[in-house]
Amino acid sequence: STVPVIAVDGPAGVGKGMVTRWLVQRTGFHRLDSGALYRILALAAVAAGVDLDAHAAVAALAPGLQISFTGSSEDDEAILVGGQDWTRELRAETTGALASRIAVSPEVREALLQRQRDFRLAPGLIADGRDMGTVVFPDARLKLFLDASPEERATRRQRQLSKAGIAANFATLCEEIRARDARDRGRAVAPLKPASDAHLIDTTGLSPEAVLARVEALSVAAG
Ligand code: C5P
């Protein structure tokens, strides 16, 4: 495809959503929140009474999911599954943990691969996740890999959740983020790691503005 892609990868709570929304505003490109697809599939499996470790059965649910993303800012974004609003449940850290459990499966990843590529529509796509630059869109025009310490990410996650009206304990969040990192980095298939041609941005101690200034410089350089 000649449709340009910007890949934004990194661990949980690192600010991929913030960077992605900013890039969408700036470019007018479409957005793929790939993590949401893993989250939706995990919740759909739970709802259907399918064991999350029965990977083939989980993967088999993927083609039938009717998903629509609406809104464009953090405040009016909603994710509908089969016409129902799943936004709130999808955001919960417990859902992230369920998603990372099914994400270790090659069958599940394969079932979601084409669905992700289908988002690549003119004029372009900003895609965020774990393997956008390595597996799903290896030919992306620009690849960003964001990182930050687990403590910093837990702090940001807590703030983000509290804005959404969800209370979360800091120590618990830290522990959940570490566990999710270990699973995402350690899995055999599509582990979380920067593509060889990705630009690394360590956001520890950086304000959102400073991160975006860095992203802007890189995107201007990439044309
Ligand atoms: O990004 P988000 O926190 O929504 O992702 C939830 C989980 O889905 C991740 O922890 C990861 O296990 C999985 N995921 C993935 N590949 C992606 C996006 C998400 O494995 N591209």
Side-chain angles (χ1 to χ4, degrees), residues 34-35 38-39 96 99-100 103 109 129-132 180 184 187:
S34 63
Y38 287 88
R39 287 170 184 254
S100 80
R109 306 199 70 84
R130 303 293 183 291
D131 61 345
M132 298 298 99
R180 197 134 74 87
D184 288 348
R187 70 186 173 218

Side-chain angles (χ1 to χ4, degrees), residues 35-81:
L37 300 184
Y38 287 88
R39 287 170 184 254
I40 289 166
L41 185 54
L43 286 187
V46 170
V50 171
D51 177 357
L52 289 186
D53 299 316
H55 294 148
V58 173
L61 296 172
L65 294 170
Q66 301 212 323
I67 303 167
S68 63
F69 295 89
T70 66
S72 55
S73 75
E74 197 173 358
D75 301 324
D76 73 349
E77 252 168 26
I79 301 175
L80 308 183
V81 183

Side-chain angles (χ1 to χ4, degrees):
S1 170
T2 56
V3 174
V5 175
I6 299 180
V8 183
D9 288 306
V14 78
K16 299 185 297 291
M18 185 269 293
V19 165
T20 301
R21 280 183 207 100
W22 184 84
L23 283 166
V24 164
Q25 280 230 315
R26 191 169 184 279
T27 58
F29 286 5
H30 299 280
R31 175 185 182 191
L32 166 62
D33 173 357
S34 63
L37 300 184
Y38 287 88
R39 287 170 184 254
I40 289 166
L41 185 54
L43 286 187
V46 170
V50 171
D51 177 357
L52 289 186
D53 299 316
H55 294 148
V58 173
L61 296 172
L65 294 170
Q66 301 212 323
I67 303 167
S68 63
F69 295 89
T70 66
S72 55
S73 75
E74 197 173 358
D75 301 324
D76 73 349
E77 252 168 26
I79 301 175
L80 308 183
V81 183
Q84 279 188 315
D85 189 344
W86 284 25
T87 317
R88 198 182 161 82
E89 257 182 300
L90 285 173
R91 279 206 190 112
E93 184 49 38
T94 47
T95 305
L98 298 178
S100 80
R101 261 177 69 193
I102 63 164
V104 300
S105 158
E107 286 151 302
V108 165
R109 306 199 70 84
E110 178 62 32
L112 291 177
L113 187 60
Q114 193 55 47
R115 286 202 78 139
Q116 295 174 80
R117 290 186 175 151
D118 289 343
F119 282 80
R120 187 172 194 170
L121 298 170
L125 180 68
I126 316 291
D128 74 291
R130 303 293 183 291
D131 61 345
M132 298 298 99
T134 51
V135 175
V136 182
F137 304 109
D139 62 338
R141 172 198 284 181
L142 174 66
K143 300 179 185 179
L144 305 176
F145 190 94
L146 309 181
D147 213 344
S149 70
E151 294 75 18
E152 172 125 1
R153 289 184 281 128
T155 307
R156 293 181 193 163
R157 225 346 110 86
Q158 190 177 38
R159 213 178 295 137
Q160 189 183 39
L161 289 171
S162 99
K163 258 176 74 184
I166 304 167
N169 174 275
F170 179 76
T172 310
L173 265 182
C174 248
E175 200 34 62
E176 286 169 340
I177 281 182
R178 280 182 204 281
R180 197 134 74 87
D181 274 6
R183 198 148 44 206
D184 288 348
R185 292 188 207 267
R187 70 186 173 218
V189 184
L192 171 65
K193 63 156 193 246
S196 57
D197 51 350
H199 298 274
L200 266 68
I201 306 178
D202 183 350
T203 71
T204 309
L206 293 187
S207 65
E209 294 72 26
V211 173
L212 293 177
R214 187 98 176 78
V215 170
E216 174 160 41
L218 290 167
S219 63
V220 166

